[in-house]
Amino acid sequence: MPSHNNMINSNQRKREWQKYVKTWFNQPGAKKRRRNNRMKKAADIYPRPVSGNLRPVVRCPTQRHNTKLKLGRGFTLDELKAAGFNAKSAASLGVAVDYRRKNSSALTFNNNVQRLKLYQSKLVVFPKRTGRQRNGDATEEERENVVQQREALPFNPPKPKFKGRAITEEERTPSTYLTLRKIRKEHRRVGKPDRDNFK
């Protein structure tokens, strides 16, 4: 912008317009490269799920976001113990472990334990060495029927649905503003002497 009351200059950029144009001609090639990399990664980690280890369902922090669910870093030691997993061998079975997270909600704890048990019921363990069957390993028939999944267990967060309705006369009659003012006043006056009745 010009200083003071000077004329606004009209910059002519027609001569070197190529400097100010952003091209994106490599987009189709980059798309193909990303797809090939995904396919190569899936082939390298077969028969494990493409998206990686199993992760817990946790709530987002702070009051603003704690109504939303997301996938956490890993299961706590208590959740693994309740589901019958060993913390050291859990990572080799495709279960993420978080040594720092603490359980503060019984509901989340129970949901994650059920998630682990469901995963364990569908788990197919391949032997470490071919020809050496260990206790808990899958049979040869089960191994042949394995299909690589995109994710270990699907995570579909529930979407709350609110049904619209008409406002009733009882809700319309009182003043919302005065009601909130009264509640705020009572909350502020908790533990203090009543001035109206004070002599």
Side-chain angles (χ1 to χ4, degrees), residues 45-82:
I45 66 173
Y46 178 85
R48 289 174 288 173
V50 179
S51 62
N53 291 344
L54 178 72
R55 300 195 180 276
V57 177
V58 298
R59 290 199 173 272
C60 298
T62 70
Q63 281 186 335
R64 182 178 182 180
H65 303 290
N66 65 5
T67 56
K68 299 176 186 175
L69 295 173
K70 66 174 183 176
L71 291 178
R73 182 185 179 89
F75 292 91
T76 62
L77 300 178
D78 294 334
E79 290 169 352
L80 293 169
K81 188 176 180 181

Side-chain angles (χ1 to χ4, degrees), residues 24-164:
W24 197 247
F25 297 129
N26 66 337
Q27 187 179 18
K31 179 182 178 181
K32 189 174 182 180
R33 183 171 65 244
R34 287 195 301 269
R35 185 172 187 273
N36 291 337
N37 288 340
R38 285 197 299 270
M39 293 171 65
K40 182 178 180 300
K41 179 189 172 185
D44 289 343
I45 66 173
Y46 178 85
R48 289 174 288 173
V50 179
S51 62
N53 291 344
L54 178 72
R55 300 195 180 276
V57 177
V58 298
R59 290 199 173 272
C60 298
T62 70
Q63 281 186 335
R64 182 178 182 180
H65 303 290
N66 65 5
T67 56
K68 299 176 186 175
L69 295 173
K70 66 174 183 176
L71 291 178
R73 182 185 179 89
F75 292 91
T76 62
L77 300 178
D78 294 334
E79 290 169 352
L80 293 169
K81 188 176 180 181
F85 276 91
N86 185 4
K88 290 186 178 179
S89 62
S92 64
L93 296 174
V95 178
V97 183
D98 188 2
Y99 294 94
R100 297 175 296 179
R101 188 166 69 86
K102 301 287 190 295
N103 290 109
S104 57
S105 169
L107 180 64
T108 306
F109 173 80
N110 294 331
N111 289 343
N112 284 330
V113 170
Q114 292 301 320
R115 186 173 169 84
L116 281 168
K117 288 182 178 178
L118 179 63
Y119 174 75
Q120 196 170 20
S121 66
K122 298 182 177 183
L123 187 64
V124 177
V125 181
F126 278 56
K128 285 188 176 181
R129 297 179 186 176
T130 55
R132 293 185 64 180
Q133 193 83 4
R134 295 173 60 187
N135 188 19
D137 290 348
T139 61
E140 194 170 344
E141 296 177 2
E142 292 175 341
R143 280 179 271 153
E144 288 177 357
N145 298 330
V146 166
V147 178
Q148 189 178 28
Q149 302 293 329
R150 185 177 179 183
E151 49 190 352
L153 280 180
F155 168 60
N156 300 317
K159 296 180 179 179
K161 294 181 179 179
F162 301 101
K163 211 170 186 180

